[in-house]
Amino acid sequence: MSGTIAIVTGASRGLGAALARKLAGSARQLITVSRNSDAQTQRLAQASGCTHVHYAHDLSDMQHIEAAALGIFAQLDQTASQYLLINNAGSLGPVAQYDTLKDADAISRTFNLNVTSAMLLTTALLRATKTLAADVRVVNISSGAGRSPTAGWGVYCASKAALDMYTRVASLEAPHARLVSLAPGVIDTHMQETIRSGNIDDFPDLARFTTLNETGALRSPEAVAEAIVRYINSEHFASKALDDIRQYSQ
């Protein structure tokens, strides 16, 4: 047995792309899942001798979630020394307060992406590796929003809180693996652009996020990805079921 098989969802841009590119230089095999592929990840994988397989799926769609889980784990190489799943795919979802929050389809798709895809892919990995003599690690990318309520973010906060609790439950159920729900802090990604383009009536905290951008307080996806990979390979990994990368990357 040798090498790592790494799986990263939401890998076409932002933090997911940065994580995939980082792992392309060290993993034996890199599996990415997102609607679009990332040419830079493919080039880095080829240059380092890493086998890269991309699954083009929209993980806000239940049929795509099931297809991704079936496609990846029906043919998973069972000879690796380490299996790493990073459930990074996520969306802010509809931003609205109780009196205007009524788009059931948007709410459902957000929970599919933020929670259900992570649950089903984690389940598939844990089942596939249960009898293997391998190091199995799962990182669910969470958010401080799942641990502190924010007006207007009812859907996002609830989905990340659900992801946190699922991680804690799965940790109890699967002793052969180590799992963590990891908050990455504020990152300069497309999600931040979406936040700043919002309406203050829906999201009263808008000014704070505008200031974070204007003052250069947003960290780059590359810096956060580097900190996360370093954390994954450290003695601190999954020492707490709910953690925050900012505790290790100052």
mmCIF file of all heavy atoms in Angstrom, residues 123-159:
data_model
loop_
_atom_site.group_PDB
_atom_site.id
_atom_site.type_symbol
_atom_site.label_atom_id
_atom_site.label_comp_id
_atom_site.label_asym_id
_atom_site.label_seq_id
_atom_site.Cartn_x
_atom_site.Cartn_y
_atom_site.Cartn_z
ATOM 1 N N THR A 123 -20.650 8.725 3.678
ATOM 2 C CA THR A 123 -21.158 7.366 3.872
ATOM 3 C C THR A 123 -20.508 6.393 2.900
ATOM 4 O O THR A 123 -20.073 5.294 3.285
ATOM 5 C CB THR A 123 -22.687 7.333 3.690
ATOM 6 O OG1 THR A 123 -23.298 8.034 4.768
ATOM 7 C CG2 THR A 123 -23.220 5.912 3.663
ATOM 8 N N ALA A 124 -20.437 6.780 1.639
ATOM 9 C CA ALA A 124 -19.852 5.901 0.626
ATOM 10 C C ALA A 124 -18.379 5.625 0.916
ATOM 11 O O ALA A 124 -17.908 4.487 0.775
ATOM 12 C CB ALA A 124 -20.022 6.522 -0.753
ATOM 13 N N LEU A 125 -17.631 6.649 1.316
ATOM 14 C CA LEU A 125 -16.218 6.455 1.644
ATOM 15 C C LEU A 125 -16.050 5.554 2.860
ATOM 16 O O LEU A 125 -15.229 4.625 2.850
ATOM 17 C CB LEU A 125 -15.549 7.803 1.920
ATOM 18 C CG LEU A 125 -14.107 7.692 2.431
ATOM 19 C CD1 LEU A 125 -13.169 7.239 1.319
ATOM 20 C CD2 LEU A 125 -13.625 9.007 3.030
ATOM 21 N N LEU A 126 -16.821 5.798 3.903
ATOM 22 C CA LEU A 126 -16.689 5.014 5.127
ATOM 23 C C LEU A 126 -17.026 3.547 4.882
ATOM 24 O O LEU A 126 -16.379 2.647 5.430
ATOM 25 C CB LEU A 126 -17.572 5.602 6.225
ATOM 26 C CG LEU A 126 -17.199 7.025 6.682
ATOM 27 C CD1 LEU A 126 -18.165 7.517 7.753
ATOM 28 C CD2 LEU A 126 -15.762 7.094 7.184
ATOM 29 N N ARG A 127 -18.036 3.300 4.074
ATOM 30 C CA ARG A 127 -18.392 1.912 3.755
ATOM 31 C C ARG A 127 -17.301 1.245 2.925
ATOM 32 O O ARG A 127 -16.958 0.072 3.146
ATOM 33 C CB ARG A 127 -19.718 1.876 3.003
ATOM 34 C CG ARG A 127 -20.921 2.268 3.833
ATOM 35 C CD ARG A 127 -22.211 2.183 3.044
ATOM 36 N NE ARG A 127 -22.488 0.807 2.612
ATOM 37 C CZ ARG A 127 -23.534 0.465 1.877
ATOM 38 N NH1 ARG A 127 -24.394 1.396 1.478
ATOM 39 N NH2 ARG A 127 -23.732 -0.783 1.524
ATOM 40 N N ALA A 128 -16.740 1.988 1.970
ATOM 41 C CA ALA A 128 -15.733 1.409 1.079
ATOM 42 C C ALA A 128 -14.417 1.114 1.786
ATOM 43 O O ALA A 128 -13.643 0.263 1.331
ATOM 44 C CB ALA A 128 -15.482 2.359 -0.095
ATOM 45 N N THR A 129 -14.143 1.800 2.880
ATOM 46 C CA THR A 129 -12.851 1.661 3.560
ATOM 47 C C THR A 129 -12.950 0.943 4.904
ATOM 48 O O THR A 129 -11.944 0.794 5.596
ATOM 49 C CB THR A 129 -12.227 3.048 3.793
ATOM 50 O OG1 THR A 129 -13.142 3.860 4.571
ATOM 51 C CG2 THR A 129 -11.944 3.746 2.468
ATOM 52 N N LYS A 130 -14.126 0.488 5.266
ATOM 53 C CA LYS A 130 -14.346 -0.065 6.610
ATOM 54 C C LYS A 130 -13.419 -1.224 6.938
ATOM 55 O O LYS A 130 -12.954 -1.357 8.076
ATOM 56 C CB LYS A 130 -15.809 -0.504 6.747
ATOM 57 C CG LYS A 130 -16.165 -0.987 8.145
ATOM 58 C CD LYS A 130 -17.652 -1.320 8.249
ATOM 59 C CE LYS A 130 -18.013 -1.772 9.653
ATOM 60 N NZ LYS A 130 -19.470 -2.083 9.766
ATOM 61 N N THR A 131 -13.122 -2.064 5.984
ATOM 62 C CA THR A 131 -12.310 -3.244 6.250
ATOM 63 C C THR A 131 -10.861 -3.080 5.793
ATOM 64 O O THR A 131 -10.086 -4.047 5.827
ATOM 65 C CB THR A 131 -12.916 -4.473 5.559
ATOM 66 O OG1 THR A 131 -12.941 -4.251 4.139
ATOM 67 C CG2 THR A 131 -14.327 -4.734 6.060
ATOM 68 N N LEU A 132 -10.486 -1.892 5.364
ATOM 69 C CA LEU A 132 -9.128 -1.675 4.860
ATOM 70 C C LEU A 132 -8.184 -1.240 5.982
ATOM 71 O O LEU A 132 -8.588 -0.526 6.906
ATOM 72 C CB LEU A 132 -9.131 -0.595 3.772
ATOM 73 C CG LEU A 132 -10.015 -0.844 2.545
ATOM 74 C CD1 LEU A 132 -9.863 0.312 1.557
ATOM 75 C CD2 LEU A 132 -9.674 -2.168 1.886
ATOM 76 N N ALA A 133 -6.944 -1.656 5.879
ATOM 77 C CA ALA A 133 -5.918 -1.217 6.840
ATOM 78 C C ALA A 133 -5.320 0.086 6.325
ATOM 79 O O ALA A 133 -4.171 0.149 5.883
ATOM 80 C CB ALA A 133 -4.846 -2.287 6.987
ATOM 81 N N ALA A 134 -6.118 1.131 6.364
ATOM 82 C CA ALA A 134 -5.705 2.414 5.800
ATOM 83 C C ALA A 134 -6.099 3.557 6.735
ATOM 84 O O ALA A 134 -6.968 3.413 7.590
ATOM 85 C CB ALA A 134 -6.351 2.616 4.426
ATOM 86 N N ASP A 135 -5.443 4.682 6.539
ATOM 87 C CA ASP A 135 -5.744 5.903 7.275
ATOM 88 C C ASP A 135 -6.865 6.624 6.523
ATOM 89 O O ASP A 135 -6.680 7.017 5.366
ATOM 90 C CB ASP A 135 -4.481 6.756 7.337
ATOM 91 C CG ASP A 135 -4.682 8.084 8.054
ATOM 92 O OD1 ASP A 135 -5.763 8.301 8.630
ATOM 93 O OD2 ASP A 135 -3.747 8.910 8.036
ATOM 94 N N VAL A 136 -8.011 6.791 7.158
ATOM 95 C CA VAL A 136 -9.179 7.394 6.510
ATOM 96 C C VAL A 136 -9.509 8.718 7.189
ATOM 97 O O VAL A 136 -9.734 8.757 8.405
ATOM 98 C CB VAL A 136 -10.402 6.454 6.563
ATOM 99 C CG1 VAL A 136 -11.592 7.076 5.846
ATOM 100 C CG2 VAL A 136 -10.054 5.080 5.974
ATOM 101 N N ARG A 137 -9.534 9.789 6.415
ATOM 102 C CA ARG A 137 -9.776 11.120 6.962
ATOM 103 C C ARG A 137 -10.845 11.854 6.149
ATOM 104 O O ARG A 137 -10.825 11.803 4.915
ATOM 105 C CB ARG A 137 -8.484 11.949 7.002
ATOM 106 C CG ARG A 137 -7.357 11.247 7.755
ATOM 107 C CD ARG A 137 -6.139 12.113 7.945
ATOM 108 N NE ARG A 137 -5.112 11.365 8.671
ATOM 109 C CZ ARG A 137 -4.138 11.918 9.381
ATOM 110 N NH1 ARG A 137 -4.024 13.235 9.449
ATOM 111 N NH2 ARG A 137 -3.261 11.156 10.008
ATOM 112 N N VAL A 138 -11.734 12.542 6.852
ATOM 113 C CA VAL A 138 -12.794 13.314 6.209
ATOM 114 C C VAL A 138 -12.762 14.732 6.757
ATOM 115 O O VAL A 138 -12.760 14.928 7.984
ATOM 116 C CB VAL A 138 -14.184 12.698 6.454
ATOM 117 C CG1 VAL A 138 -15.275 13.568 5.814
ATOM 118 C CG2 VAL A 138 -14.252 11.273 5.916
ATOM 119 N N VAL A 139 -12.742 15.698 5.857
ATOM 120 C CA VAL A 139 -12.820 17.111 6.235
ATOM 121 C C VAL A 139 -14.089 17.686 5.632
ATOM 122 O O VAL A 139 -14.234 17.731 4.406
ATOM 123 C CB VAL A 139 -11.600 17.911 5.721
ATOM 124 C CG1 VAL A 139 -11.725 19.378 6.135
ATOM 125 C CG2 VAL A 139 -10.303 17.312 6.239
ATOM 126 N N ASN A 140 -15.006 18.102 6.472
ATOM 127 C CA ASN A 140 -16.202 18.797 6.020
ATOM 128 C C ASN A 140 -15.981 20.295 6.213
ATOM 129 O O ASN A 140 -15.783 20.748 7.346
ATOM 130 C CB ASN A 140 -17.425 18.323 6.808
ATOM 131 C CG ASN A 140 -17.790 16.895 6.479
ATOM 132 O OD1 ASN A 140 -17.662 16.464 5.339
ATOM 133 N ND2 ASN A 140 -18.246 16.141 7.472
ATOM 134 N N ILE A 141 -15.976 21.041 5.121
ATOM 135 C CA ILE A 141 -15.742 22.480 5.221
ATOM 136 C C ILE A 141 -17.012 23.159 5.721
ATOM 137 O O ILE A 141 -18.021 23.234 5.022
ATOM 138 C CB ILE A 141 -15.300 23.077 3.870
ATOM 139 C CG1 ILE A 141 -13.983 22.427 3.413
ATOM 140 C CG2 ILE A 141 -15.136 24.587 3.999
ATOM 141 C CD1 ILE A 141 -12.797 22.647 4.325
ATOM 142 N N SER A 142 -16.935 23.649 6.936
ATOM 143 C CA SER A 142 -18.082 24.254 7.598
ATOM 144 C C SER A 142 -17.956 25.782 7.551
ATOM 145 O O SER A 142 -17.406 26.341 6.600
ATOM 146 C CB SER A 142 -18.167 23.735 9.041
ATOM 147 O OG SER A 142 -19.327 24.224 9.676
ATOM 148 N N SER A 143 -18.431 26.439 8.593
ATOM 149 C CA SER A 143 -18.387 27.899 8.649
ATOM 150 C C SER A 143 -18.703 28.357 10.064
ATOM 151 O O SER A 143 -19.449 27.678 10.790
ATOM 152 C CB SER A 143 -19.413 28.505 7.682
ATOM 153 O OG SER A 143 -19.539 29.899 7.881
ATOM 154 N N GLY A 144 -18.149 29.492 10.419
ATOM 155 C CA GLY A 144 -18.538 30.090 11.689
ATOM 156 C C GLY A 144 -20.021 30.389 11.732
ATOM 157 O O GLY A 144 -20.624 30.471 12.807
ATOM 158 N N ALA A 145 -20.648 30.511 10.549
ATOM 159 C CA ALA A 145 -22.086 30.777 10.480
ATOM 160 C C ALA A 145 -22.899 29.614 11.021
ATOM 161 O O ALA A 145 -24.062 29.793 11.400
ATOM 162 C CB ALA A 145 -22.496 31.070 9.031
ATOM 163 N N GLY A 146 -22.318 28.425 11.061
ATOM 164 C CA GLY A 146 -23.023 27.293 11.625
ATOM 165 C C GLY A 146 -22.971 27.255 13.134
ATOM 166 O O GLY A 146 -23.659 26.454 13.773
ATOM 167 N N ARG A 147 -22.171 28.163 13.700
ATOM 168 C CA ARG A 147 -21.971 28.177 15.148
ATOM 169 C C ARG A 147 -22.372 29.501 15.782
ATOM 170 O O ARG A 147 -22.342 29.653 16.993
ATOM 171 C CB ARG A 147 -20.494 27.870 15.439
ATOM 172 C CG ARG A 147 -20.069 26.534 14.836
ATOM 173 C CD ARG A 147 -18.575 26.319 14.705
ATOM 174 N NE ARG A 147 -18.316 25.197 13.787
ATOM 175 C CZ ARG A 147 -17.108 24.789 13.445
ATOM 176 N NH1 ARG A 147 -16.026 25.400 13.930
ATOM 177 N NH2 ARG A 147 -16.966 23.775 12.607
ATOM 178 N N SER A 148 -22.739 30.457 14.931
ATOM 179 C CA SER A 148 -23.173 31.774 15.410
ATOM 180 C C SER A 148 -24.242 32.312 14.461
ATOM 181 O O SER A 148 -23.991 32.436 13.260
ATOM 182 C CB SER A 148 -21.990 32.735 15.460
ATOM 183 O OG SER A 148 -22.389 34.019 15.887
ATOM 184 N N PRO A 149 -25.448 32.614 14.941
ATOM 185 C CA PRO A 149 -26.542 33.035 14.052
ATOM 186 C C PRO A 149 -26.296 34.399 13.419
ATOM 187 O O PRO A 149 -25.745 35.302 14.048
ATOM 188 C CB PRO A 149 -27.760 33.071 14.981
ATOM 189 C CG PRO A 149 -27.181 33.279 16.351
ATOM 190 C CD PRO A 149 -25.873 32.567 16.358
ATOM 191 N N THR A 150 -26.703 34.521 12.160
ATOM 192 C CA THR A 150 -26.562 35.765 11.418
ATOM 193 C C THR A 150 -27.876 36.067 10.719
ATOM 194 O O THR A 150 -28.378 35.235 9.949
ATOM 195 C CB THR A 150 -25.433 35.663 10.371
ATOM 196 O OG1 THR A 150 -24.198 35.372 11.035
ATOM 197 C CG2 THR A 150 -25.289 36.958 9.590
ATOM 198 N N ALA A 151 -28.450 37.224 10.973
ATOM 199 C CA ALA A 151 -29.725 37.596 10.361
ATOM 200 C C ALA A 151 -29.619 37.581 8.841
ATOM 201 O O ALA A 151 -28.668 38.115 8.269
ATOM 202 C CB ALA A 151 -30.147 38.988 10.842
ATOM 203 N N GLY A 152 -30.591 36.962 8.192
ATOM 204 C CA GLY A 152 -30.614 36.867 6.741
ATOM 205 C C GLY A 152 -29.994 35.594 6.206
ATOM 206 O O GLY A 152 -30.198 35.235 5.051
ATOM 207 N N TRP A 153 -29.239 34.920 7.068
ATOM 208 C CA TRP A 153 -28.551 33.708 6.635
ATOM 209 C C TRP A 153 -29.182 32.462 7.256
ATOM 210 O O TRP A 153 -28.479 31.503 7.593
ATOM 211 C CB TRP A 153 -27.078 33.776 7.023
ATOM 212 C CG TRP A 153 -26.224 34.603 6.118
ATOM 213 C CD1 TRP A 153 -26.628 35.369 5.085
ATOM 214 C CD2 TRP A 153 -24.796 34.729 6.201
ATOM 215 N NE1 TRP A 153 -25.553 35.986 4.495
ATOM 216 C CE2 TRP A 153 -24.409 35.611 5.165
ATOM 217 C CE3 TRP A 153 -23.816 34.198 7.029
ATOM 218 C CZ2 TRP A 153 -23.077 35.963 4.947
ATOM 219 C CZ3 TRP A 153 -22.492 34.548 6.821
ATOM 220 C CH2 TRP A 153 -22.130 35.418 5.784
ATOM 221 N N GLY A 154 -30.477 32.448 7.415
ATOM 222 C CA GLY A 154 -31.130 31.310 8.040
ATOM 223 C C GLY A 154 -30.810 29.994 7.363
ATOM 224 O O GLY A 154 -30.545 28.983 8.024
ATOM 225 N N VAL A 155 -30.805 29.983 6.033
ATOM 226 C CA VAL A 155 -30.543 28.755 5.289
ATOM 227 C C VAL A 155 -29.083 28.353 5.421
ATOM 228 O O VAL A 155 -28.759 27.192 5.724
ATOM 229 C CB VAL A 155 -30.928 28.931 3.804
ATOM 230 C CG1 VAL A 155 -30.565 27.691 3.005
ATOM 231 C CG2 VAL A 155 -32.417 29.225 3.687
ATOM 232 N N TYR A 156 -28.183 29.298 5.212
ATOM 233 C CA TYR A 156 -26.749 28.987 5.276
ATOM 234 C C TYR A 156 -26.348 28.554 6.689
ATOM 235 O O TYR A 156 -25.660 27.530 6.859
ATOM 236 C CB TYR A 156 -25.945 30.212 4.847
ATOM 237 C CG TYR A 156 -24.455 29.972 4.739
ATOM 238 C CD1 TYR A 156 -23.953 29.043 3.831
ATOM 239 C CD2 TYR A 156 -23.552 30.675 5.527
ATOM 240 C CE1 TYR A 156 -22.585 28.819 3.709
ATOM 241 C CE2 TYR A 156 -22.187 30.464 5.416
ATOM 242 C CZ TYR A 156 -21.710 29.539 4.508
ATOM 243 O OH TYR A 156 -20.353 29.319 4.394
ATOM 244 N N CYS A 157 -26.766 29.307 7.692
ATOM 245 C CA CYS A 157 -26.428 28.957 9.078
ATOM 246 C C CYS A 157 -26.970 27.577 9.440
ATOM 247 O O CYS A 157 -26.267 26.759 10.047
ATOM 248 C CB CYS A 157 -26.987 29.997 10.048
ATOM 249 S SG CYS A 157 -26.163 31.603 10.014
ATOM 250 N N ALA A 158 -28.213 27.310 9.085
ATOM 251 C CA ALA A 158 -28.828 26.027 9.426
ATOM 252 C C ALA A 158 -28.129 24.873 8.722
ATOM 253 O O ALA A 158 -27.925 23.802 9.313
ATOM 254 C CB ALA A 158 -30.311 26.047 9.061
ATOM 255 N N SER A 159 -27.743 25.072 7.463
ATOM 256 C CA SER A 159 -27.087 23.985 6.727
ATOM 257 C C SER A 159 -25.712 23.687 7.299
ATOM 258 O O SER A 159 -25.316 22.519 7.410
ATOM 259 C CB SER A 159 -26.988 24.327 5.235
ATOM 260 O OG SER A 159 -26.093 25.400 5.002
#
